[in-house]
Amino acid sequence: MSGFDRRTFLTVLAAAGAGAGIGVPLLSGIAGSSSTGTVLRSQLALPEPFTVPFTVPPVLAPTGDRYEIVQRAATAEILPGVPTPIWGYNGIFPGPTIVSRSGDPAVVHHRNALPVPVVAHLHGGHTPASSDGYPTDLIVPAGAMPTMPTMPGMPGMPTLADPRATVTVGERTYTYPLRQRAATLWYHDHRMGFTGASVWRGLAGFHLVHDDEEDALPLPRGDRDLPLMIADRAFAADGSLRYPSVDPTLQRTPGVSTAYSGGVLGDVILVNGRPWPLAPVPAVRHRLRILNASNARRYSLALDPPPPGGGGLVQIGSDGGLLDRPRVHDAIEVAPAERFDVVADFGRYPVGSKVTLVNRFGSGSTAVVMRFHVTRRERDDTRVPATLSTIEQLDPTHAVATRTLLFQDHGGAMGWQINGHPFSPGYATATPRLGSIEVWRLISDFHHPIHLHLVHFQVLGRGLSGPGAYDAGWKDTLDLRPAEEAAIVARFDDYAGRFVFHCHNLEHEDMAMMANFQTA
């Protein structure tokens, strides 16, 4: 485990539980802590950092009025000269980027050519339940029987059937209304019990949404608007991706070996599927759309050297799109599934500068992420306005319900639980009314990046303080730190049905730290 010992924290939490009245102390977060999980080491020689060129995933063109994606096995050259088997959307990792406009529905047709069932989830999408990617709404391989799925069995736990699941054979069409603001979204596999292994093998891609409000701002665009999917991985001696699955076939038994139950951390940092890449950039402002697509690793990202005067990363957006005004950071902490849109002004550096994006939470091979080489001067007519957007502030006094949700390790094969319950497809932990506002109190033992489907929310506070430095704007994922309580407020609009919320440490999610909420 990196950063914290699980049993030490459980002891601390148990000792303080009586005073809190709900099993954990009401403490503020522990700033500067790293990640919950265990490092999985690569078994082959790794390339020197900054020797592989940076690339951007290709943009997918629609076929007629819809996008076509085939999920299939392929071979990629991730490490130079080394073939690596992957599972990829259209056979590539990351998958192709889908670019949409707010209010224009995107229809995405997925065909499953993999040997296992899959589920596609648009993370950050305001999406009806039928297209949200519920974990048991499987696309089973062609030729398989369309039987209703069950929660894969683990020692000492019952096998739970889900009669409400909608299972299709071979293919499925997802419709995303995109009645939402411009934002950096992403899509990934969401199959019950196997999300961690499937994403690790390559099933992740960007989905970018634009709108008129954002287009009217003088922000960097075109080849100065760079999506950065940051993910850690580990490689076996034969070049394949190492992952400690209990069932390497990913067919029956979910989860990872006990040593990695806290989370799997790789020792190779990839950006858009390239190890520690080098990006030549002109000396102008660039928009960096930062996505942490790691299973469990958290990052503290900074520019080294910092620009004169500091403040190298100017945050303009969060999970749910533009902030009301920019926030200036020397570094940003990014938990799994969070997105930060920032502007970096390379015009503040002399031509010839080599500026490294470093990870202050890392060490050795994980202490650096990528490098920018400032190559030339160019005209720069962009700027970051003092006002970016007008954001409606939800009023927590209008909440019709306040819910307390405890994210805690109970030990055993399915020990990662919410309010003492492992995930059950038939049980709703919350039942919000459509159009209503609710306040949710989220309480943790370890690092838990909490993700809500369907809605974006606003952070009201952490412990006894207000929102943290990275909590501005609309969020769909909150970096809940060890022994921390946070409060969020959300409005549950538009779509009735069954949705999930869960920890986005994918090993925690796969081992049952997920629950339903039912809107009506």
Side-chain angles (χ1 to χ4, degrees), residues 486-501:
I488 63 173
V489 59
R491 182 170 54 217
F492 296 81
D493 278 338
D494 295 331
Y495 304 121
R498 181 178 59 161
F499 299 89
V500 294
F501 64 97

Side-chain angles (χ1 to χ4, degrees), residues 186 205-206 228-230 289-293 334 337-340:
W186 64 303
F206 280 103
L228 308 181
M229 179 185 288
I230 303 174
R289 297 176 181 262
I290 295 171
L291 159 64
N292 182 353
V334 192
E338 285 190 303
R339 284 90 67 211
F340 284 81

